[in-house]
């Protein structure tokens, strides 16, 4: 939700420029040019919003006309606020609103461009000229420290489909202190730009490349590699990496990523459909600190791959292998045996999983908090009874479309797992009586069901 800079009563007392007045529905000031909260605002065009940004950067308010007008008006009450109060208010504004505030007057211009307000830049909008917007913003932020933005640590450009390598090259050159970069859905980004960013921003820890289908690898540029000492190696400091929907990623690319990013703790590879079990061997070898791993819809991953994942042992807390149809009880047994601290497991659609696999999980992973075995037709009441006996701290459970589950299993679950908060039994043949039993024993539990007789 966008936070307004000032309440309506204050705006009526002041004499702001049109850049501050809340626009009508037809006004171009509501364009999705620069947004800090990740939500687009409605617009007539993105080019008008960009023109506004350019005006903010290249001209200070305070013309002779405005000076003459100020003589005929009393000072607004808002002008009595100290600078620190203004900075506190401005710190809650999204990027686009902060730029508009800079158009009000000379004082607001200076305050709005205070470096302390610019640790984060968020851009959004499919039609936004993201390359130009980044170039304009970094140019203004580099005025006090030529060629570099020392305060800028986070850049979020999710959904800006017109972002290209040129925009990321500007980020790499001007933002050496960058810690977080999100370019989800920017499918024009290629390996060259990503290499440039990770080479020039040594402190980068969080990288979201989901939907960047041209990215096939993450590595240092050749120039950066030559400058590193043999002791340092070619390590990249990224801890969080999201490559969901990077369809071109293959085993060799993941091997390179693993060897260059040994500090990875969170890795998401959903729908990277070309990855096989061999890729996971390199992952376990080079990235021993991974806590969260998602392989959902990687349909070439099977039991051998899970055996390699199990080598992560005590570190792994979160694992998603949803719709990996090659996975059976064999692979699940490896995970259960070597990853006793597992908290979250998503095995939805793993049709080879049976009650035997459930039994291994229940006995070896007693700290399990969330489990999804929806669309696993071989999971029945026996598996649920084992789970209820050993995983009494379970809070979220999905059994959607588990056709072998009946009320007996649900009653065992409810009687032993009193902390249950969510239970999904949609498309399951369970009686209203069993659902009422769950509601009586797990009072905080939200039950998602498709039984019209239960209400």
């Amino acid at each position: 939700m966008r936070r307004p800079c000032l309440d309506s009563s204050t705006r009526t007392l002041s004499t702001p420029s049109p850049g501050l007045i809340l626009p009508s529905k037809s006004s171009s000031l509501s364009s999705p040019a620069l947004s800090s909260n990740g939500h687009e605002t409605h617009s007539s065009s993105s080019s008008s919003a960009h023109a506004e940004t350019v005006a903010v950067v290249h001209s200070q308010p305070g013309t002779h006309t405005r000076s003459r007008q100020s003589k005929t008006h009393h000072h607004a009450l808002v002008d009595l606020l100290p600078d620190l109060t203004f900075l506190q208010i401005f710190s809650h504004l999204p990027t686009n609103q902060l730029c508009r505030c800079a158009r009000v007057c000379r004082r607001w211009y200076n305050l709005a461009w205070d470096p302390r307000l610019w640790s984060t830049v968020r851009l959004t909008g499919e039609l936004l000229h993201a390359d130009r917007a980044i170039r304009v913003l970094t140019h203004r932020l580099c005025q006090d420290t030529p060629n570099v933005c020392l305060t800028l640590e986070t850049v979020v450009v999710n959904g800006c489909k017109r972002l290209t390598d040129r925009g990321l090259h500007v980020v790499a050159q001007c933002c050496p202190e960058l810690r977080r970069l999100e370019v989800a859905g920017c499918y024009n980004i290629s390996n060259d730009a990503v290499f440039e960013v990770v080479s020039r921003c040594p402190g980068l820890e969080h990288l979201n490349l989901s939907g960047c289908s041209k990215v096939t690898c993450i590595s240092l540029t050749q120039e950066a590699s030559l400058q590193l000492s043999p002791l340092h190696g070619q390590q990249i400091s990224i801890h969080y990496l999201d490559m969901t929907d990077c369809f071109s990623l293959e085993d060799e690319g993941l091997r390179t990523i693993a060897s260059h990013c040994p500090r990875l703790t969170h890795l998401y590879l959903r729908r990277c459909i070309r990855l096989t079990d061999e890729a996971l061997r390199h992952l376990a070898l080079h990235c021993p600190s991974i806590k969260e791993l998602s392989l959902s819809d990687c349909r070439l991953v099977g039991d051998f791959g899970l055996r390699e994942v199990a080598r992560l042992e005590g570190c792994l807390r979160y694992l998603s292998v949803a719709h990996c149809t090659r996975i059976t009880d064999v692979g699940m047994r490896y995970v259960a045996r070597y990853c006793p601290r597992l908290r979250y497991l998503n095995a939805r659609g793993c049709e080879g999983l049976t009650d035997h696999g459930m039994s291994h999980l229940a006995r070896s992973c007693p700290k399990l908090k969330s489990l999804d075995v929806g669309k696993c037709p071989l999971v029945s009441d026996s598996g649920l009874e084992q789970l209820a006996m050993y995983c009494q701290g379970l809070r979220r459970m999905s059994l959607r479309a588990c056709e072998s589950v009946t009320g007996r299993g649900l009653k065992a679950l409810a009687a032993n797992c009193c902390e249950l908060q969510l239970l999904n039994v949609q498309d399951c043949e369970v009686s209203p009586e069993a659902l009422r039993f769950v509601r009586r024993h797990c009072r905080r539990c939200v039950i998602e069901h498709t039984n019209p007789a239960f209400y």
Side-chain angles (χ1 to χ4, degrees):
M1 180 182 296
R2 191 190 315 156
R3 304 181 184 179
C5 177
L6 299 167
D7 62 24
S8 58
S9 61
T10 307
R11 282 196 299 270
T12 56
L13 289 172
S14 61
T15 56
S17 70
L20 180 64
I21 298 174
L22 292 179
S24 62
K25 292 184 179 179
S26 61
S27 172
S28 64
L29 290 178
S30 297
S31 67
L34 300 170
S35 177
S36 177
N37 56 9
H39 298 287
E40 291 187 14
T41 53
H42 299 285
S43 163
S44 59
S45 71
S46 66
S47 58
S48 61
H50 173 69
E52 172 187 305
T53 305
V54 175
V56 169
V57 172
H58 293 291
S59 63
Q60 274 197 29
T63 61
H64 295 295
T65 303
R66 183 171 298 177
S67 298
R68 289 195 300 268
Q69 291 175 349
S70 64
K71 295 179 181 179
T72 61
H73 292 278
H74 296 291
H75 284 291
L77 294 179
V78 69
D79 294 334
L80 302 179
L81 294 176
D83 288 353
L84 288 178
T85 302
F86 269 114
L87 290 175
Q88 183 65 28
I89 295 172
F90 286 172
S91 67
H92 295 281
L93 295 180
T95 303
N96 62 330
Q97 297 293 344
L98 193 56
C99 289
R100 289 167 185 166
C101 286
R103 302 176 61 183
V104 174
C105 63
R106 183 171 299 166
R107 183 190 180 198
W108 282 36
Y109 177 91
N110 293 328
L111 289 171
W113 288 106
D114 188 295
R116 289 170 289 184
L117 300 177
W118 292 94
S119 62
T120 298
V121 165
R122 295 178 185 269
L123 313 180
T124 188
E126 293 185 3
L127 301 179
L128 172 69
H129 293 278
D131 292 345
R132 255 191 295 173
I134 289 175
R135 187 173 66 250
V136 167
L137 283 171
T138 54
H139 174 78
R140 175 59 184 81
L141 295 173
C142 288
Q143 285 190 1
D144 297 329
T145 52
N147 302 323
V148 291
C149 307
L150 295 178
T151 60
L152 192 55
E153 297 183 351
T154 299
V155 174
V156 179
V157 207
N158 293 333
C160 294
K161 297 182 178 180
R162 301 179 72 172
L163 179 71
T164 69
D165 287 355
R166 290 191 296 272
L168 279 195
H169 282 306
V170 173
V171 172
Q173 293 168 5
C174 299
C175 307
E177 300 299 322
L178 195 67
R179 297 285 184 270
R180 183 186 185 108
L181 175 64
E182 297 186 20
V183 289
C186 302
Y187 49 71
N188 290 314
I189 298 300
S190 72
N191 286 346
D192 291 340
V194 176
F195 289 6
E196 188 77 10
V197 170
V198 298
S199 298
R200 289 179 172 266
C201 305
L204 187 66
E205 297 178 348
H206 183 114
L207 180 59
N208 186 344
L209 298 171
S210 58
C212 299
S213 54
K214 293 183 179 179
V215 177
T216 62
C217 183
I218 295 177
S219 178
L220 297 172
T221 61
Q222 184 176 4
E223 179 184 357
S225 298
L226 293 175
Q227 294 175 354
L228 294 175
S229 64
L231 182 62
H232 183 277
Q234 297 187 7
Q235 295 186 2
I236 300 172
S237 60
I238 293 176
H239 293 175
Y240 179 107
L241 177 61
D242 191 344
M243 297 193 70
T244 298
D245 293 321
C246 291
F247 308 118
S248 301
L249 180 63
E250 297 182 348
D251 290 354
E252 183 60 25
L254 187 57
R255 184 194 67 79
T256 304
I257 292 172
S259 61
H260 284 81
C261 306
R263 302 179 187 177
L264 276 175
T265 58
H266 297 68
L267 178 61
Y268 304 95
L269 302 169
R270 306 177 189 95
R271 292 180 292 280
C272 292
I273 55 178
R274 299 186 182 186
L275 295 180
T276 70
D277 293 338
E278 179 64 20
L280 300 181
R281 184 174 67 85
H282 298 292
L283 196 63
L285 181 63
H286 296 288
C287 304
S289 301
I290 290 182
K291 296 179 180 179
E292 295 194 9
L293 175 63
S294 177
L295 300 167
S296 298
D297 293 286
C298 296
R299 298 181 183 271
L300 299 180
V301 172
D303 291 334
F304 177 79
L306 274 196
R307 187 184 72 174
E308 298 302 317
V309 169
R311 293 170 59 187
L312 296 171
E313 297 184 348
C315 287
L316 197 63
R317 302 287 189 276
Y318 171 109
L319 176 63
S320 178
V321 289
H323 305 293
C324 295
T325 53
R326 298 188 179 190
I327 289 176
T328 68
D329 290 343
V330 176
M332 206 57 66
R333 186 165 62 244
Y334 284 118
V335 172
R337 181 177 179 181
Y338 294 105
C339 304
R341 298 182 181 179
L342 197 65
R343 300 288 193 278
Y344 174 99
L345 176 63
N346 185 352
R348 173 177 297 215
C350 295
E351 297 180 354
L353 181 62
T354 73
D355 290 335
H356 292 293
M358 293 283 286
S359 177
H360 286 294
L361 280 172
R363 293 172 182 270
S364 301
C365 303
K367 297 183 179 180
L368 204 61
K369 299 294 183 184
S370 178
L371 178 62
D372 188 341
V373 289
K375 299 184 179 179
C376 294
L378 301 180
V379 173
S380 70
D381 294 337
S382 298
L384 293 187
E385 288 172 345
Q386 291 289 314
L387 196 68
M389 186 180 302
Y390 295 101
C391 299
Q392 298 183 3
L394 197 66
R395 295 183 180 178
R396 302 172 67 89
M397 183 76 191
S398 177
L399 299 164
R400 182 169 185 170
C402 288
E403 54 194 39
S404 300
V405 170
T406 69
R408 190 188 92 200
L410 291 189
K411 288 180 179 180
L413 204 63
N416 292 276
C417 303
C418 299
E419 298 181 18
L420 203 62
Q421 297 176 359
L422 177 65
L423 177 64
N424 188 337
V425 289
Q426 293 176 327
D427 303 316
C428 292
E429 296 295 330
V430 293
S431 65
E433 178 191 357
L435 296 179
R436 293 189 187 99
F437 185 91
V438 173
R439 187 165 61 184
R440 283 198 306 270
H441 286 75
C442 305
R443 296 185 178 276
R444 297 183 180 179
C445 183
V446 175
I447 304 175
E448 298 179 354
H449 65 95
T450 50
N451 192 327
F454 176 72
Y455 53 88

